[in-house]
Amino acid sequence: MASTSAEIIAFLLTISGWVLVSSTLPTDYWKVSTIDGTVITTATFWANLWKTCVTDSTGVSNCKDFPSMLALDGYIQACRGLMISAVCLGFFGAVFGLVGMKCTKVGGSDQTKAKIACLAGLIFILSGLCSMTSCSLYANRITSEFFDPSFVAQKYELGAALFIGWAGASLCIIGGIIFCFSIAENSNSARRGYAYNGATSVMSSRTKVHNSVPDKTAPKHFDKNAYV
């Protein structure tokens, strides 16, 4: 019962993390910067993996899509590939997680379902690592440019999408680890299923042997005078 509850908690954690990672991919604010006037903010610059935009004080946004994938910076291409891989791995992990859970009716025996659940955990851990690497790589580029005194272009700060991506990756990794522990719990329960009755005592074994051996003594023949 405890293993089933742990698997349900792990599934909820991984699905929540996968949803957060999936929502991070199209989110606008991966990096953000503002230009302040004397009273109000005059413009907000922000960018994500697909475009860069500027929003003025009236709320009107002007965006420019990245022209070509081959002309992009290497870190943006790497972040795109890692985030897409994280979303795809999370989908397959959710499928294997449903099949491997004890509360479902598919997947075969408990030993087979435990192996499938462990595989789902490994896939979710890999998905979380991809998302974590992508967000960390993007954040490292932002911070290195921000603290570089020789960088004269527009400087940005960390956007909300990075924190959402880190949170989703953490949930995927934690849930995946719980899924991996399910195979160990299943193997321990399988060992407890074989009960040892202990050795029978010497007296009981002798009694069983004595009772099982038929009485082969010859029948007694009585003479006629015995009934007189």
Side-chain angles (χ1 to χ4, degrees), residues 7-22 85-101 116-132 167-180:
E7 287 179 351
I8 294 174
I9 293 173
F11 185 75
L12 293 176
L13 288 176
T14 51
I15 290 298
S16 301
W18 178 56
V19 170
L20 290 177
V21 171
S22 301
S85 300
V87 173
C88 295
L89 288 171
F91 172 77
F92 289 109
V95 174
F96 284 115
L98 281 174
V99 175
M101 293 175 65
I116 297 174
C118 182
L119 177 61
L122 293 176
I123 293 175
F124 273 118
I125 291 173
L126 187 58
S127 174
L129 290 176
C130 288
S131 176
M132 186 78 70
S170 301
L171 291 177
C172 287
I173 293 173
I174 295 172
I177 292 173
I178 298 176
F179 263 130
C180 289

Side-chain angles (χ1 to χ4, degrees), residues 161-199:
L162 296 177
F163 299 99
I164 297 174
W166 281 324
S170 301
L171 291 177
C172 287
I173 293 173
I174 295 172
I177 292 173
I178 298 176
F179 263 130
C180 289
F181 280 129
S182 64
I183 189 171
E185 294 177 0
N186 201 303
S187 61
N188 291 333
S189 62
R191 292 193 191 99
R192 289 194 297 267
Y194 297 99
Y196 178 66
N197 296 325

Side-chain angles (χ1 to χ4, degrees), residues 15-192:
I15 290 298
S16 301
W18 178 56
V19 170
L20 290 177
V21 171
S22 301
S23 64
T24 303
L25 191 58
T27 302
D28 293 332
Y29 296 100
W30 278 64
K31 59 182 181 179
V32 61
S33 178
T34 58
I35 298 178
D36 297 329
T38 56
V39 179
I40 60 173
T41 299
T42 58
T44 301
F45 294 87
W46 52 272
N48 56 15
L49 299 178
W50 315 101
K51 59 187 177 180
T52 178
C53 301
V54 57
T55 303
D56 57 16
S57 58
T58 61
V60 178
S61 299
N62 294 317
C63 297
K64 178 183 178 183
D65 295 331
F66 294 135
S68 173
M69 186 179 68
L70 299 177
L72 287 176
D73 294 332
Y75 79 98
I76 295 182
Q77 295 183 16
C79 291
R80 281 184 179 182
L82 289 171
M83 290 302 296
I84 293 173
S85 300
V87 173
C88 295
L89 288 171
F91 172 77
F92 289 109
V95 174
F96 284 115
L98 281 174
V99 175
M101 293 175 65
K102 289 183 179 180
C103 57
T104 57
K105 300 297 184 182
V106 293
S109 62
D110 289 342
Q111 306 256 339
T112 304
K113 291 172 75 68
K115 293 178 181 179
I116 297 174
C118 182
L119 177 61
L122 293 176
I123 293 175
F124 273 118
I125 291 173
L126 187 58
S127 174
L129 290 176
C130 288
S131 176
M132 186 78 70
T133 305
S134 175
C135 295
S136 300
L137 181 62
Y138 200 91
N140 180 66
R141 183 60 180 259
I142 294 174
T143 54
S144 61
E145 291 179 352
F146 186 85
F147 293 106
D148 187 4
S150 61
F151 187 76
V152 295
Q154 181 70 37
K155 292 185 178 182
Y156 292 88
E157 297 180 4
L158 302 180
L162 296 177
F163 299 99
I164 297 174
W166 281 324
S170 301
L171 291 177
C172 287
I173 293 173
I174 295 172
I177 292 173
I178 298 176
F179 263 130
C180 289
F181 280 129
S182 64
I183 189 171
E185 294 177 0
N186 201 303
S187 61
N188 291 333
S189 62
R191 292 193 191 99
R192 289 194 297 267

